[in-house]
Amino acid sequence: MGIILIGERINGSFKDVGRAIQEHDKTVIKDRVAKQEAGGADYLDVNMGAASRKLEDYAWLVQAVAESTALPLSLDCPRADMFRVGLKAYRDTVGERSVILNSTTAEDSKLIPLLELAKEFNASIMGVVMDERGSPQDVDRRLELGGKIFAAAVEAGLAPADIFLDPIVMPVKFMQDQPKNVLNAIQQMTMLSDPPCHISIGLSNVSSKTEERKLINRTFMVMALAVGLDTAILDVCDEELRQSVATAELLLGMEIYSDAFLKAYRQRAGSGTAAAAA
Amino acid sequence: MVPDAKKTWGGRVNSVTIGATQATGGTRAFTVTIGGSATLPFLDFEGPCGMPAVAMEICDIYPQEWPNLLKEPFGDALGDPVRWARKCLEFGADLICLRLDGCHPEHGNRSPAEAAQTVKAVLQGIPAPLIIWGTGNADKDNEVFPAVAEAAAGENCLIGSITEDNYKTLVAVCTAYKHKIIAESPCDVNIAKQVNILAQDMGFPVENIVIYPTCAALGYGLEYIYSVMERARLAGLKGDRTLAQPILCDIGIEAWGVKEARVSEEEIPDWGSQRQRAPLWEASTAVAYLLAGCDLFILRHPEAVCSIKKTIAELTGALAGAAAA
């Protein structure tokens, strides 16, 4: 129930996290984990960024995150061998817990090995609608590639609930016609199957290099939720963004109304940690 | 191939235990646990279904308002809450509900100390867990609850009720003396959720709450309550923690207040025997709520208790199991 929020903050591209990865400093990681738990994250994305390319660093990072939270992870890697190392570290640390492999494109050379990994480790996948020709600009191509990934995943034995499709958000500053195309694609992707798969975006891309990042992020988030988005990788510590998501859940009838719905949303945010402690 | 139509839910109704044995700091001989369902009532092929419990109601004063035929089964025990409670247990009640009606400013205005004394006496006199209802008068309840909660300290009672406008005192004393709480809302799922959020905001775990969406007798708006209960339950099963509480229905007070239970055959001959009709009205009301997802019944007439327990046993297969054994 509710929107699935994937916290974006464990990413080596952030200076503090990058340094923590290089120095194997768990305190910084634990702090980022705790803040995103308090922010109501449902998953934590784990991405090394440019901080390191070493497999053992990724295994260290996954273990450091997994052992400090009860939340499931989204393993965000550029390569299949890194996914395997991350998955092994994850399973060794937490046993059976949900996990998303983030991500594959529609190219067979990436898609097929990742689906095999997903089956082997009982994982979900994030499929990004691009292929060897690059990122699509129009709606139809997004749907075509989304459909290909979905069909291949189902063929491989994944349930729709284990499939996340990402229609690729592009910066409004440089490609102003793209946000609208993404919204159209989301709306049509909801009709791919019944029960539906998840549809996810990397929200912060939309506001890249703009001066009003938070405003653009939360406005686009609400627009996307209205057409059927149910998952996003975003900054869960952005209070106004979270309040907009909570309000959208209410207006879309996903949550039963109560006068104190913002209070309830904040209580819910802490509950993952509370459940883990209990 | 026939598709598998089984539904799995992301959430589950909380299990709430009422009463504490010696092992858990109380003096009850046994405890009663309600809730725990992982699906809609009695669809046990989909997941575990909680076993509903039945409480019988007693009062801290003689129940002047009760019709004679409701008084009959209890005889002169009605003047003494302890003997009355024991009688209820003989009739098959799983636990006892003590209504502090005598503390109401208009029904005797007994003091908090007197209420505490009654609570102590009942707890000493019976082995079963106890539900305690206040007077319904917010100001008086806020005087009575602290004394009563303290008198029952350690016994893990279920005490009610808190409302949207009056919750702080009872939440505080139930936190201090470790009791469970009944959260009341007037036939409104939004307020049901709101009251739970308010209690939780004071640090009270929503897992220790039983919700009471108010109640109506058969023929008096039962279907509105039924819908509210269904909506709350569906939200809880979908994962809304603020609506994942077991549900209580206070049925006796409603069913015995309507004319179908109170009017004699002499007054309306077409309605037939009041002796049969009145307990049946209470039992029929209870069965409707049973199907909506009620986890805890508060009833008055022993025949209604017997009837609803039989229905529960039939629907859960307990009766078939017992017959086979």
Side-chain angles (χ1 to χ4, degrees), chain A residues 81-150:
Chain A
D81 57 344
M82 196 179 277
F83 273 122
R84 179 172 284 282
V85 165
L87 272 169
K88 187 160 183 320
Y90 185 63
R91 288 281 175 253
D92 286 348
T93 311
V94 304
E96 277 306 307
R97 192 191 292 173
S98 299
V99 59
I100 303 171
L101 305 182
N102 181 16
S103 57
T104 175
T105 64
E107 288 168 88
D108 287 339
S109 61
K110 287 193 168 176
L111 178 59
I112 292 166
L114 200 77
L115 287 172
E116 283 167 2
L117 260 188
K119 280 307 283 180
E120 183 182 340
F121 285 90
N122 192 21
S124 304
I125 60 138
M126 178 79 73
V128 181
V129 296
M130 52 191 283
D131 63 3
E132 51 280 3
R133 284 193 276 165
S135 305
Q137 307 288 311
D138 61 347
V139 177
D140 289 346
R141 186 90 183 115
R142 283 185 164 94
L143 290 174
E144 184 189 328
L145 295 175
K148 182 189 171 188
I149 295 169
F150 180 82

Side-chain angles (χ1 to χ4, degrees), chain B:
Chain B
M1 198 178 86
V2 181
D4 187 353
K6 269 188 226 156
K7 169 95 184 162
T8 37
W9 302 89
R12 183 189 264 257
V13 179
N14 302 326
S15 286
V16 175
T17 296
I18 307 164
T21 60
Q22 219 158 21
T24 48
T27 62
R28 305 298 84 204
F30 57 91
T31 61
V32 169
T33 298
I34 55 170
S37 298
T39 183
L40 293 170
F42 307 111
L43 303 186
D44 56 8
F45 55 90
E46 289 185 338
C49 291
M51 191 69 166
V54 182
M56 280 180 82
E57 178 183 337
I58 64 168
C59 233
D60 58 341
I61 49 167
Y62 185 83
Q64 215 69 48
E65 301 288 308
W66 284 22
N68 283 335
L69 84 92
L70 179 57
K71 289 178 186 161
E72 263 165 31
F74 304 96
D76 61 359
L78 289 178
D80 173 4
V82 175
R83 283 178 55 213
W84 186 354
R86 286 183 186 147
K87 201 93 182 159
C88 291
L89 294 174
E90 283 170 28
F91 285 133
D94 299 313
L95 66 172
I96 297 299
C97 173
L98 169 63
R99 193 184 300 276
L100 297 171
D101 199 30
C103 296
H104 193 283
E106 286 161 24
H107 303 165
N109 204 22
R110 298 175 85 226
S111 69
E114 285 174 288
Q117 215 167 16
T118 305
V119 165
K120 270 194 173 152
V122 172
L123 282 167
Q124 273 163 19
I126 60 165
L130 190 62
I131 304 167
I132 304 169
W133 265 127
T135 65
N137 175 306
D139 291 338
K140 188 62 190 274
D141 279 351
N142 290 340
E143 289 174 33
V144 170
F145 283 145
V148 160
E150 188 187 1
E155 299 288 4
N156 190 25
C157 297
L158 176 64
I159 307 182
S161 63
I162 57 169
T163 62
E164 190 180 13
D165 302 320
N166 184 41
Y167 61 94
K168 289 184 177 163
T169 302
L170 187 55
V171 168
V173 298
C174 284
T175 304
Y177 297 108
K178 296 190 172 66
H179 297 297
K180 305 286 161 62
I181 283 183
I182 303 168
E184 177 175 345
S185 47
C187 188
D188 185 321
V189 74
N190 307 113
I191 298 177
K193 180 163 171 161
Q194 176 79 0
V195 181
N196 290 342
I197 295 167
L198 294 173
Q200 182 168 239
D201 203 43
M202 281 182 71
F204 195 81
V206 286
E207 290 74 19
N208 288 346
I209 292 175
V210 174
I211 55 177
Y212 171 51
T214 58
C215 210
L218 177 61
Y220 291 82
L222 178 149
E223 55 276 29
Y224 294 99
I225 308 283
Y226 192 108
S227 298
V228 167
M229 285 169 64
E230 273 191 318
R231 276 195 75 196
R233 181 54 47 90
L234 287 170
L237 289 173
K238 280 183 193 160
D240 186 341
R241 292 174 59 252
T242 53
L243 285 170
Q245 287 67 32
I247 300 174
L248 173 151
C249 286
D250 193 9
I251 286 168
I253 190 170
E254 298 297 333
W256 288 92
V258 303
K259 64 178 184 294
E260 284 80 356
R262 296 188 85 99
V263 166
S264 70
E265 192 173 359
E266 289 72 45
E267 287 169 86
I268 307 185
D270 282 356
W271 283 7
S273 157
Q274 185 194 5
R275 173 69 194 80
Q276 285 183 335
R277 184 196 335 127
L280 190 59
W281 211 263
E282 186 178 22
S284 308
T285 302
V287 168
Y289 288 121
L290 178 67
L291 301 181
C294 176
D295 298 282
L296 179 56
F297 294 92
I298 299 174
L299 300 176
R300 287 182 171 175
H301 198 282
E303 282 172 24
V305 171
C306 189
S307 168
I308 193 75
K309 291 197 95 170
K310 183 162 172 277
T311 307
I312 293 169
E314 282 167 356
L315 287 170
T316 55
L319 202 67

